Every structure is written in C-alpha cells, then in structure tokens.
Amino acid sequence: YIKRNIVAKKDATILKIEAKAGEILKEKNMYVKKGEVVISGEIKLYDEVKNNVMADGNVYGEVWYKATIEYPYNYKERKLTGKMKKVFVIKIFNHYIELFNFKKYKTKIKKDKVLLKHTFLPINLIIEEQYETKERTEKLTREQAIKKAISKIKAKINDKLDVNEYIITTKKLKVEQNNSKIILVLFVSVCENITSYEQIIEE
C-alpha cells in the first residue's frame, strides 16, 4: 500500500496547519527543518498504527531571507510620454542613418523591423518604431534611498509569492555608504506555503 506524509519544504516556524487527511504531528509556532513530517499518513491510537492514508492539507510557515541590494543616491527614472512614430533607417554595419526624421526625440526606446536586406553588402533598410521617453533625475537622501531599496526588495519577493503568501516583517541588518550609493542588508520574514509530499510505498 501507499502512504503519503506531508513534510516541510523549508526550515520554518509553523504559522498554520490545514489538515484534510492524516494525523497532525506538529503545532503552531513550532520550528521545523526541511523534510520533517508535519502531517503523517499513519493514523495511530496509543502508539499503534490503526490506518494508513494519503495525508492531505497545507502547511504555512514563517521563512526568513537575507537580501543585499545596492541603491544609488541619484535616482534616474524613465517614462514613456505616449508619443510614437515610424522612421525609415539605413543600417550600414553598426551605423544607423535616419531618413526624413527632422524632429528627433531626445530620449527614446525603439523596435526594429528589417524591410530590405542587401544580398552581398552589410546594408539593411529598417523601419523603426520610436517611442519617446522622458527622463527624470532625483537626488535622494540617505533615508529616501533606504526606503526605496526596501520597496524594491519587497516588490521582487512579492512577485514570487502565491495566494495566501505574504511578507510579515523586514529588519535592517546593515547599511553602508559606498561613494554615490548605499548597500543595504535586509532580513525579510515571509509567510509561505511550505507543503511538500513524501510518498512511502510499503510492502
């Protein structure tokens, strides 16, 4: 027969256990290591196995991460203005010659599409979609740079989290200054689904 346990996917402190089938072996606020059984497929009575089931449920735990980020005091932001135009361009090697573009954007991002390609010579006729951008430079204080660095770390972590997972707390470990930037070391506490399955086949 097949027995399945639910084990911890990571080292964590248990926050919540949702058991649909199986026997709960751990409690809330207990620390578990990766691979430890949280919900067992063995149903016991007075230390004697009475039944074997496929353990089912979810385990949520508090997991800690250490993140390091560098953030500049001079913060440059680039945004699209909403303006766009198509420009014909001749490309010779890595040189671009724009045709009939009399009012050029100061800053832009572009997408190229090759229209004609010379068979023997490195000459291409390209049509470029040019999107105008506006750049803004902001000089940050130390506290503003720290705040933005923390927000950036949180955003990266949040992008990887699923439903019912969230950041609990953050704690600054170290802040250093290096020329025109700060180096921040941050501890981040996250509520994560740490459910993993251990399948056991017994004869």
Side-chain angles (χ1 to χ4, degrees):
Y1 54 87
I2 298 173
K3 178 182 73 179
R4 183 176 76 179
N5 297 327
I6 288 179
V7 300
K9 185 164 56 178
K10 298 177 180 179
D11 295 359
T13 301
I14 293 175
L15 295 173
K16 185 169 66 171
I17 301 171
E18 299 171 344
K20 296 175 184 175
E23 186 172 339
I24 299 172
L25 301 184
K26 304 294 183 183
E27 295 178 7
K28 185 180 175 181
N29 298 325
M30 284 183 72
Y31 181 79
V32 288
K33 291 191 173 183
K34 180 181 177 181
E36 273 193 69
V37 179
V38 180
I39 303 173
S40 174
E42 286 185 342
I43 309 299
K44 291 182 180 179
L45 182 65
Y46 306 116
D47 294 330
E48 186 182 339
V49 178
K50 294 293 183 182
N51 194 15
N52 284 286
V53 299
M54 297 276 281
D56 192 17
N58 286 299
V59 182
Y60 291 89
E62 182 179 4
V63 183
W64 282 90
Y65 295 99
K66 186 178 175 182
T68 303
I69 187 172
E70 295 182 358
Y71 208 90
Y73 283 117
N74 292 322
Y75 172 72
K76 187 177 279 188
E77 186 179 55
R78 178 189 277 191
K79 286 185 176 179
L80 292 167
T81 65
K83 292 182 181 178
M84 187 276 279
K85 61 184 173 183
K86 293 183 180 181
V87 178
F88 289 102
V89 178
I90 294 173
K91 182 185 176 187
I92 305 171
F93 291 104
N94 288 322
H95 297 285
Y96 292 80
I97 303 165
E98 295 184 3
L99 305 175
F100 314 113
N101 187 15
F102 305 111
K103 197 174 179 182
K104 295 182 180 181
Y105 295 145
K106 286 184 181 178
T107 57
K108 62 181 181 284
I109 57 173
K110 57 186 184 178
K111 292 179 183 176
D112 294 349
K113 185 180 178 183
V114 177
L115 296 178
L116 292 171
K117 206 170 187 178
H118 198 284
T119 312
F120 307 110
L121 300 174
I123 301 172
N124 296 335
L125 178 63
I126 293 168
I127 188 165
E128 275 187 357
E129 286 184 2
Q130 297 184 354
Y131 299 85
E132 186 184 40
T133 59
K134 192 175 182 181
E135 291 187 350
R136 183 173 66 90
T137 303
E138 184 182 357
K139 192 170 179 63
L140 304 175
T141 64
R142 177 185 167 90
E143 287 307 310
Q144 286 173 329
I146 290 170
K147 194 174 177 181
K148 283 188 178 287
I150 291 172
S151 293
K152 194 169 183 179
I153 289 173
K154 282 183 172 181
K156 281 188 176 180
I157 292 171
N158 278 323
D159 284 344
K160 296 176 183 177
L161 298 182
D162 291 328
V163 181
N164 298 325
E165 296 181 325
Y166 56 91
I167 293 171
I168 302 168
T169 57
T170 59
K171 183 181 179 182
K172 285 179 286 187
L173 286 182
K174 188 167 65 173
V175 183
E176 292 179 351
Q177 184 171 327
N178 185 353
N179 298 324
S180 60
K181 64 187 175 184
I182 60 157
I183 301 168
L184 171 70
V185 182
L186 194 72
F187 252 163
V188 186
S189 166
V190 182
C191 172
E192 284 187 29
N193 188 331
I194 59 166
T195 307
S196 187
Y197 300 102
E198 176 187 69
Q199 201 167 54
I200 300 166
I201 300 173
E202 295 182 359
E203 296 179 359

